[in-house]
């Protein structure tokens, strides 16, 4: 009995790892905007999504953030900050991009105050 439970557990773990690897492989080609849209309003993510965003430098993130309008801007920047919570490099680049945007005008500084970024 114990052997069959252990075997079932091992098979389950193996299948889970295979499924995750497949899912991670699918996400590597995702567009950063698609990732941020998908994760907007959620508290979960996959490490492969963080890896995609980590490849963006602060200038690329700045350009990306400036392309967002209206409610998309807030939702997507919050999603990026959530994803950056476990990535020092992504957080550093995100903060730098937001600081630069905030320093462009008093209005931008005001808009970014809701993200608790010191500008």
């Amino acid at each position: 009995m114990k052997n069959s439970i252990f075997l079932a557990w091992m098979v389950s773990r193996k299948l889970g790892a295979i499924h995750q690897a497949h899912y991670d492989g699918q996400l590597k080609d995702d567009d950063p905007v698609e990732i941020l849209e998908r994760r907007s309003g959620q508290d979960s993510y996959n490490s492969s999504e963080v890896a995609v965003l980590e490849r963006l430098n602060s200038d690329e993130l700045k350009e990306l953030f400036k392309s967002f309008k209206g409610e998309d801007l807030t939702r997507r920047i919050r999603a990026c900050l959530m994803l950056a919570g476990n990535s020092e490099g992504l957080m550093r680049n995100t903060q730098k991009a937001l600081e630069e945007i905030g320093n462009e005008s008093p209005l931008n500084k005001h808009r970014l105050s809701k993200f608790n970024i010191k500008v």
Side-chain angles (χ1 to χ4, degrees):
M1 173 93 171
K2 286 184 181 179
N3 286 341
S4 63
I5 292 172
F6 179 74
L7 183 59
W9 176 77
M10 288 298 292
V11 169
S12 175
R13 279 190 60 149
K14 189 84 160 165
L15 288 174
I18 291 169
H19 175 64
Q20 185 65 44
H22 173 73
Y23 185 72
D24 289 348
Q26 296 269 332
L27 293 177
K28 289 185 179 164
D29 295 329
D30 274 357
D31 179 67
V33 175
E34 292 172 7
I35 292 170
L36 295 176
E37 185 60 31
R38 181 173 42 250
R39 295 302 167 200
S40 294
Q42 294 187 2
D43 294 327
S44 65
Y45 58 90
N46 292 298
S47 58
S48 58
E49 293 171 323
V50 175
V52 170
L53 295 173
E54 282 177 327
R55 289 192 288 246
L56 301 177
N57 63 37
S58 61
D59 290 334
E60 292 167 321
L61 284 167
K62 180 179 171 183
E63 189 175 315
L64 182 68
F65 296 155
K66 290 178 88 171
S67 73
F68 301 152
K69 304 291 181 222
E71 291 180 22
D72 288 343
L73 180 129
T74 300
R75 288 184 307 103
R76 291 176 180 169
I77 290 177
R78 285 195 196 284
C80 189
L81 289 167
M82 185 258 308
L83 290 162
N86 286 324
S87 169
E88 187 178 315
L90 179 57
M91 183 60 80
R92 184 176 45 253
N93 287 340
T94 299
Q95 288 179 330
K96 183 177 179 192
L98 292 173
E99 288 170 5
E100 289 177 7
I101 293 169
N103 286 328
E104 289 177 357
S105 73
L107 180 58
N108 283 354
K109 184 176 183 174
H110 176 72
R111 287 178 176 151
L112 293 176
S113 65
K114 64 183 154 198
F115 300 112
N116 295 322
I117 301 293
K118 304 291 183 224
V119 180

